[in-house]
Amino acid sequence: MSATTQAVLAGCAGIGAFAVSYAVGGLVWWVALVPAVAATLASFVLIPRRRDEAEVEVAMGVTLAELNRVVAQTQGTAQRFRVLAKRIRDRQVARAVEEIASLTQDIARNFLADPKDIRSAYDFLDYHLGKAFEVIDAYAALSSATRLTEAETAKLEEVGKTILDIQQLFHEHLVSLRANDVLSLIHISQ
């Protein structure tokens, strides 16, 4: 039940308690306030309220709202990488971008399985993910152009190598996110 519904029901309980105490019980109005306040407070305590996603902590320092936002952002970027991969002519670079999309999706799955990893991934989420997309998007746009000059072709090759490096960096980031899980497994198995 929402907070608004909870408040309305508690208010109704208080008004009802006041009406019964004052009208039926014959109490003086200010004395009838005591059971009204008690009924209102009891209603707030006894009527359960569904907490908002921003109030539900799924890991220390990570709310359900933040988890959902981060996973949606990461999955959305993975999908955008897949779209870009289809526009890239160089098959090696296109495969690397497809792998980056897959790694990004794996990172999103990791966040779902282990939300506390979000705390150690802020740099990745706030900078690296977006910057990688910018680089790949610019590469895809230029690679689909016609009549490229030698300088443009050379720049494409240079950035293509950078995209291969980005693929490796995303893999290393995924491995680093799982490092605590590996340590836990080692600790449990001993």
Side-chain angles (χ1 to χ4, degrees):
M1 156 177 336
S2 72
T4 303
T5 304
Q6 180 191 35
V8 168
L9 290 175
C12 289
I15 291 170
F18 178 81
V20 168
S21 300
Y22 181 71
V24 177
L27 297 176
V28 183
W29 73 268
W30 55 271
V31 174
L33 285 177
V34 174
V37 169
T40 302
L41 293 176
S43 296
F44 270 112
V45 172
L46 297 174
I47 298 173
R49 177 182 70 84
R50 186 184 76 227
R51 296 187 305 168
D52 294 335
E53 288 183 351
E55 297 175 306
V56 177
E57 196 170 69
V58 292
M60 185 180 279
V62 179
T63 64
L64 180 58
E66 182 179 17
L67 173 64
N68 290 339
R69 179 189 60 78
V70 165
V71 168
Q73 172 194 358
T74 308
Q75 289 175 335
T77 304
Q79 185 57 38
R80 293 167 61 200
F81 281 138
R82 284 193 174 87
V83 170
L84 290 177
K86 293 175 183 170
R87 292 178 32 205
I88 296 173
R89 291 183 183 165
D90 183 319
R91 293 298 19 149
Q92 182 183 13
V93 176
R95 281 192 301 276
V97 173
E98 191 61 46
E99 180 61 16
I100 290 169
S102 180
L103 288 164
T104 304
Q105 187 65 46
D106 288 346
I107 289 169
R109 281 190 204 100
N110 181 76
F111 291 148
L112 283 171
D114 197 0
K116 73 180 176 298
D117 285 346
I118 291 173
R119 292 190 330 247
S120 64
Y122 288 127
D123 285 345
F124 174 78
L125 294 166
D126 294 341
Y127 179 74
H128 298 291
L129 189 61
K131 191 64 173 173
F133 182 80
E134 281 181 40
V135 168
I136 295 168
D137 186 38
Y139 178 92
L142 186 57
S143 73
S144 62
T146 57
R147 298 186 182 105
L148 295 174
T149 65
E150 281 185 35
E152 291 169 327
T153 303
K155 190 61 175 172
L156 273 177
E157 288 178 19
E158 179 185 328
V159 174
K161 291 176 185 171
T162 300
I163 291 172
L164 297 176
D165 292 340
I166 291 171
Q167 174 190 353
Q168 183 59 36
L169 291 172
F170 273 49
H171 182 262
E172 289 170 5
H173 185 71
L174 177 60
V175 169
S176 74
L177 289 175
R178 292 190 305 223
N180 64 335
D181 301 328
V182 172
L183 289 174
S184 294
L185 182 62
I186 290 170
H187 180 67
I188 291 170
S189 66
Q190 293 179 348

